[in-house]
Amino acid sequence: MEKDKATKNLEDYNDVFADIYNTLLFKERLLDEKHLESGVTETVFKAEQGVLSRQSRDVLKNYSDFGTLGICSLGIENQNYMDRNMPIRVMGYDYASYSKRLKEQDKAVPVITIVLNFQLKPWDKPRSLHETLDIPEKLMSYVQNYKIYVFDIPFLREETIDSFRSDFRWVAKFFKAKRLNSIDGIVAEKGAILHHTEEFLHLLKVFTGNDSYDELWTELKQMDGIVLREGAVEMCNLLDAFERRGMEKGRQAGIELGRSFGIENGKLSTLWELVGDGLITTEIAAKKAGLSEEKFMEKIKGLHII
């Protein structure tokens, strides 16, 4: 539940939502964030024996530009576990959107829902209604099918990740680094901005179980000139803060931040600091960096810190 909430909080921003759809589904810049409005994510329906039940979807946006896409409703569902009945769930969410529109007007509008899989293994459950059912061959052609679009975020290709223009780019980099247990996940080009810093750091906190991410946001707000308008932070400043925090806290918290977020130089500096403090050996430091001792020392010398 907490993981769903953390991802929803970030995806609910129009710039992030539009970027996810444009990059993953449309593969072109079709959605304009200016034309997105939040839709109703909770519906009430009568279940068996007339009992009222509630159904909630993660994120829903209504889109209206009277141009290429016209009017439609677009949803995102986040998955942190495998659900073989996901096509049926998506059918229910989409039906609720169609039904609501028909109660308000004579004609419904198109509804699309995509599923984002944040698990560290590819989606291996049904992607269509037919796959969830045991359908006799004689009936196959008569049973309507319903397909879903599933995207495995930790497995996205680098070129896809680099196509994101919103904060979701850093989310995808984080999950890929997490899957690979990599220290090379994030390299921030000059001028890159993280627009929704608090939500992004909270997402990292929830998915790593490390309170240091929330603590870092508190520290950033107390630093002059770091937090820009509406909570934005330059990625270089954020990564510098990670590195400083790793140096100051040293030890386990600093290493964990470096591993999960993938700051190569900051990680190496922190590891060398620990070696210098006599807390770990050069052999252990090299192993944590995923390098041979020889290569580790080459990189350390390249950083001019010895």
Side-chain angles (χ1 to χ4, degrees), residues 196-251:
H196 311 293
T197 311
E198 181 177 12
E199 290 80 6
F200 175 71
L201 290 177
H202 184 66
L203 184 150
L204 299 189
K205 179 254 185 180
V206 169
F207 277 89
T208 63
N210 190 336
D211 291 335
S212 294
Y213 290 106
D214 278 350
E215 294 168 7
L216 180 60
W217 173 241
T218 300
E219 292 175 12
L220 288 171
K221 290 188 293 183
Q222 296 171 351
M223 299 168 64
D224 292 337
I226 296 298
V227 179
L228 308 175
R229 188 176 61 182
E230 297 180 351
V233 170
E234 285 194 27
M235 281 300 298
C236 288
N237 287 335
L238 180 63
L239 298 186
D240 285 345
F242 272 120
E243 182 177 348
R244 285 196 304 274
R245 189 176 183 84
M247 292 292 192
E248 293 162 3
K249 303 285 183 179
R251 328 314 173 247

Side-chain angles (χ1 to χ4, degrees), residues 95-106:
Y95 166 75
S97 295
Y98 284 121
S99 180
K100 184 177 185 303
R101 284 280 186 172
L102 288 174
K103 290 177 181 177
E104 299 170 345
Q105 57 193 49
D106 293 336

Side-chain angles (χ1 to χ4, degrees), residues 2-260:
E2 193 64 25
K3 289 181 178 180
D4 277 349
K5 184 177 179 182
T7 48
K8 287 189 291 186
N9 285 344
L10 188 60
E11 293 161 358
D12 200 42
Y13 285 102
N14 286 352
D15 62 318
V16 177
F17 187 96
D19 191 33
I20 291 171
Y21 257 85
N22 287 335
T23 302
L24 296 180
L25 186 67
F26 298 138
K27 295 181 173 54
E28 59 177 307
R29 298 288 143 183
L30 286 182
L31 288 188
D32 186 334
E33 63 180 273
K34 298 194 303 289
H35 301 303
L36 285 169
E37 291 185 355
S38 293
V40 177
T41 57
E42 186 173 275
T43 54
V44 178
F45 63 96
K46 280 190 177 182
E48 293 181 9
Q49 300 177 341
V51 177
L52 292 179
S53 296
R54 295 181 182 277
Q55 174 179 265
S56 296
R57 63 153 71 214
D58 288 339
V59 185
L60 181 69
K61 297 285 184 180
N62 294 321
Y63 189 79
S64 178
D65 69 352
F66 301 102
T68 305
L69 300 181
I71 301 174
C72 58
S73 292
L74 307 169
I76 293 178
E77 293 301 314
N78 301 302
Q79 283 301 111
N80 296 294
Y81 68 94
M82 295 292 180
D83 185 353
R84 75 175 315 277
N85 291 318
M86 198 66 202
I88 298 175
R89 281 179 54 197
V90 171
M91 282 178 60
Y93 297 142
D94 291 353
Y95 166 75
S97 295
Y98 284 121
S99 180
K100 184 177 185 303
R101 284 280 186 172
L102 288 174
K103 290 177 181 177
E104 299 170 345
Q105 57 193 49
D106 293 336
K107 188 176 181 180
V109 301
V111 179
I112 302 171
T113 298
I114 62 175
V115 178
L116 305 186
N117 173 31
F118 290 98
Q119 299 165 97
L120 302 184
K121 58 181 180 178
W123 187 262
D124 62 3
K125 298 302 179 185
R127 294 172 184 254
S128 70
L129 178 60
H130 279 188
E131 293 175 60
T132 70
L133 306 174
D134 294 325
I135 307 175
E137 185 177 346
K138 292 286 188 180
L139 295 179
M140 181 64 75
S141 62
Y142 301 104
V143 178
Q144 298 293 337
N145 203 4
Y146 204 89
K147 298 179 180 180
I148 59 174
Y149 304 98
V150 182
F151 300 96
D152 298 313
I153 302 305
F155 294 84
L156 294 177
R157 299 172 58 164
E158 281 302 317
E159 52 264 43
T160 300
I161 293 175
D162 289 339
S163 296
F164 286 112
R165 298 180 182 179
S166 72
D167 292 355
F168 200 79
R169 178 181 186 182
W170 311 110
V171 173
K173 282 180 176 289
F174 164 73
F175 277 100
K176 184 162 188 175
K178 193 170 187 289
R179 174 177 69 85
L180 298 173
N181 195 25
S182 169
I183 64 168
D184 303 318
I186 299 290
V187 177
E189 62 272 22
K190 186 176 181 180
I193 300 290
L194 183 67
H195 293 278
H196 311 293
T197 311
E198 181 177 12
E199 290 80 6
F200 175 71
L201 290 177
H202 184 66
L203 184 150
L204 299 189
K205 179 254 185 180
V206 169
F207 277 89
T208 63
N210 190 336
D211 291 335
S212 294
Y213 290 106
D214 278 350
E215 294 168 7
L216 180 60
W217 173 241
T218 300
E219 292 175 12
L220 288 171
K221 290 188 293 183
Q222 296 171 351
M223 299 168 64
D224 292 337
I226 296 298
V227 179
L228 308 175
R229 188 176 61 182
E230 297 180 351
V233 170
E234 285 194 27
M235 281 300 298
C236 288
N237 287 335
L238 180 63
L239 298 186
D240 285 345
F242 272 120
E243 182 177 348
R244 285 196 304 274
R245 189 176 183 84
M247 292 292 192
E248 293 162 3
K249 303 285 183 179
R251 328 314 173 247
Q252 189 57 40
I255 293 175
E256 186 174 341
L257 286 170
R259 287 180 64 191
S260 65

Side-chain angles (χ1 to χ4, degrees), residues 183 255 259 267-276 279-293 295-297 300:
I183 64 168
I255 293 175
R259 287 180 64 191
K267 161 88 170 184
L268 293 173
S269 298
T270 299
L271 288 172
W272 186 247
E273 179 88 352
L274 298 179
V275 172
L279 296 173
I280 60 175
T281 65
T282 305
E283 180 182 0
I284 292 174
K287 185 176 181 180
K288 286 184 176 294
L291 303 168
S292 66
E293 281 191 67
K295 191 68 176 177
F296 176 78
M297 292 307 299
I300 291 297

